[in-house]
Amino acid sequence: MKKFTSVSDVENLQEIIKKALQIKADPLTETEKGKGKTIGLVFLNSSLRTRLSSQIAAQNLGLNVLTLNAAQEAWNLEFADGAVMNGDTVEHIKDAIEVLNQYCDIIAVRCFAGMKSKEDDVNESILSQFEKHAKVPVVSLESATRHPLQSLADCITITENWKKDHKPKVVLTWAPHIKPIAHAVGNSFAEWMQEMDVELVIANPEGYDLDKKFTKDVKVIHDQDEALKDADFIYVKNWSSFDDYAAMPEVKGDWMLTNEKLAHTNEAKVMHCLPVRRNVELSDEVMDGDHSIIYKQAKNRIFSAQAIFSEILDELNAG
């Protein structure tokens, strides 16, 4: 594996899930694999699970870990090519990346959607700079359009929590929020689930359909109750409008997941990537109830990252 920014970088999804579960059973089996190598974790946005899980995963592999909170601790970055930097930006992103090339064997970066320019976000205006200028493997810790390490953790979580003999019905359901939220988690989950042996359904209100680039032919239902019927797994996440980019069209009805809605499912397990706004996206009764596997999902972030870092180290060590 030479880079990791989407499911297309995974040669065999079932094999990487299997590897992650083996790592979970004994996380310290490869403590020498990263010896003498450095990973730079670059955060342009806030993080809890991604930061900590990536650090733990890298340390479990013996990597030296450099963590940079670039938005707070680095110079103001310029991203535009050909910019005349006579304003408040001090360092161009391509110069910063070239310096990271000197210090790091792997660069992992977290860069959210700006939610201002649809074109910039769809074209991954920040991540694409890292892919263009980095001379070492690049790992996405979330970008404008995808969150691949989260999605791999989601695949791991569904795999280990599904022991029955029929194809599980997985519902990705929109949830309310107080502000416009990016599409990365929803896009990515839809993309990865299409590589899994599941029946995927997406439930969202009118005006909130995700980018067809990611959902493709997945069934989209605008009635949450209808979509949840007989569900085995429910993935709860908010996102704003894609067509009317970053807008929040009016929504009729209550889309927050409750125990009353769960009663129509097949004893569905409930997932969420976190952080979650309690009693807005998810009710306390669901979040803290027996159906929730949200914290198990969060723990699996370690093993998704460790599996990917391990694969990349295999490539580096072979070279």
Side-chain angles (χ1 to χ4, degrees), residues 74-85:
W75 300 110
N76 287 343
L77 293 169
E78 176 61 59
F79 294 95
D81 285 336
V84 177
M85 293 173 55

Side-chain angles (χ1 to χ4, degrees), residues 36-309:
K37 290 186 170 58
T38 297
I39 185 170
L41 305 177
V42 181
F43 291 90
L44 278 75
N45 302 98
S46 301
S47 179
L48 189 155
R49 279 148 297 280
T50 300
R51 181 190 308 272
L52 298 182
S53 62
S54 298
Q55 289 176 334
I56 293 168
Q59 290 165 357
N60 285 348
L61 291 164
L63 280 159
N64 180 40
V65 183
L66 301 178
T67 301
L68 176 64
N69 302 311
Q72 293 83 33
E73 299 171 353
W75 300 110
N76 287 343
L77 293 169
E78 176 61 59
F79 294 95
D81 285 336
V84 177
M85 293 173 55
N86 58 0
D88 61 357
T89 56
V90 178
E91 184 160 33
H92 200 283
I93 186 63
K94 64 183 178 182
D95 299 323
I97 295 169
E98 185 55 50
V99 171
L100 289 168
N101 285 330
Q102 313 305 313
Y103 299 159
C104 304
D105 299 282
I106 303 169
I107 299 172
V109 58
R110 181 176 178 93
C111 48
F112 289 171
M115 303 296 287
K116 294 179 180 178
S117 166
K118 183 176 185 177
E119 181 181 4
D120 283 352
D121 290 345
V122 167
N123 291 324
E124 293 284 6
S125 62
I126 298 177
L127 181 63
S128 63
Q129 296 262 24
F130 281 85
E131 293 188 279
K132 179 180 179 180
H133 298 295
K135 297 180 176 67
V136 300
V138 172
V139 175
S140 171
L141 301 178
E142 187 172 3
S143 69
T145 63
R146 292 179 171 97
H147 197 346
L149 284 178
Q150 177 66 58
S151 296
L152 177 53
D154 300 335
C155 293
I156 296 164
T157 305
I158 289 173
T159 297
E160 67 180 350
N161 284 278
W162 186 249
K163 308 298 182 185
K164 299 180 182 178
D165 58 1
H166 69 273
K167 180 184 291 189
K169 179 180 178 180
V170 178
V171 179
L172 169 62
T173 182
W174 182 92
H177 209 284
I178 64 168
K179 64 180 183 179
I181 298 294
H183 308 92
V185 173
N187 287 343
S188 200
F189 185 76
E191 194 171 50
W192 284 68
M193 284 299 108
Q194 290 172 78
E195 301 297 321
M196 293 277 284
D197 187 23
V198 303
E199 176 194 351
L200 177 63
V201 173
I202 300 174
N204 58 256
E206 297 277 359
Y208 285 89
D209 288 2
L210 291 166
D211 185 352
K212 290 289 287 184
K213 172 184 175 181
F214 299 98
T215 61
K216 297 181 180 176
D217 295 325
V218 173
K219 188 174 186 179
V220 179
I221 299 175
H222 297 131
D223 182 317
Q224 189 185 42
D225 291 336
E226 178 187 345
L228 293 179
K229 186 178 179 182
D230 299 325
D232 298 296
F233 292 90
I234 302 171
Y235 200 105
V236 178
K237 187 70 180 83
N238 174 266
W239 56 85
S240 55
S241 176
F242 177 74
D243 289 336
D244 186 8
Y245 196 67
M248 298 175 66
E250 181 182 358
V251 175
K252 296 180 180 179
D254 183 5
W255 281 72
M256 183 180 74
L257 191 63
T258 62
N259 278 345
E260 182 179 356
K261 293 183 179 183
L262 280 178
H264 303 291
T265 71
N266 187 24
E267 296 290 319
K269 301 293 186 184
V270 177
M271 304 172 69
H272 191 289
C273 63
L274 295 175
V276 63
R277 288 184 180 261
R278 284 173 174 257
N279 301 308
V280 176
E281 296 174 80
L282 266 175
S283 61
D284 280 337
E285 62 182 7
V286 174
M287 185 74 190
D288 299 326
D290 294 337
H291 291 271
S292 173
I293 54 173
I294 292 169
Y295 300 134
K296 294 178 180 178
Q297 184 184 355
K299 184 173 183 178
N300 283 335
R301 290 296 307 279
I302 298 171
F303 312 115
S304 67
Q306 193 166 334
I308 295 303
F309 295 165

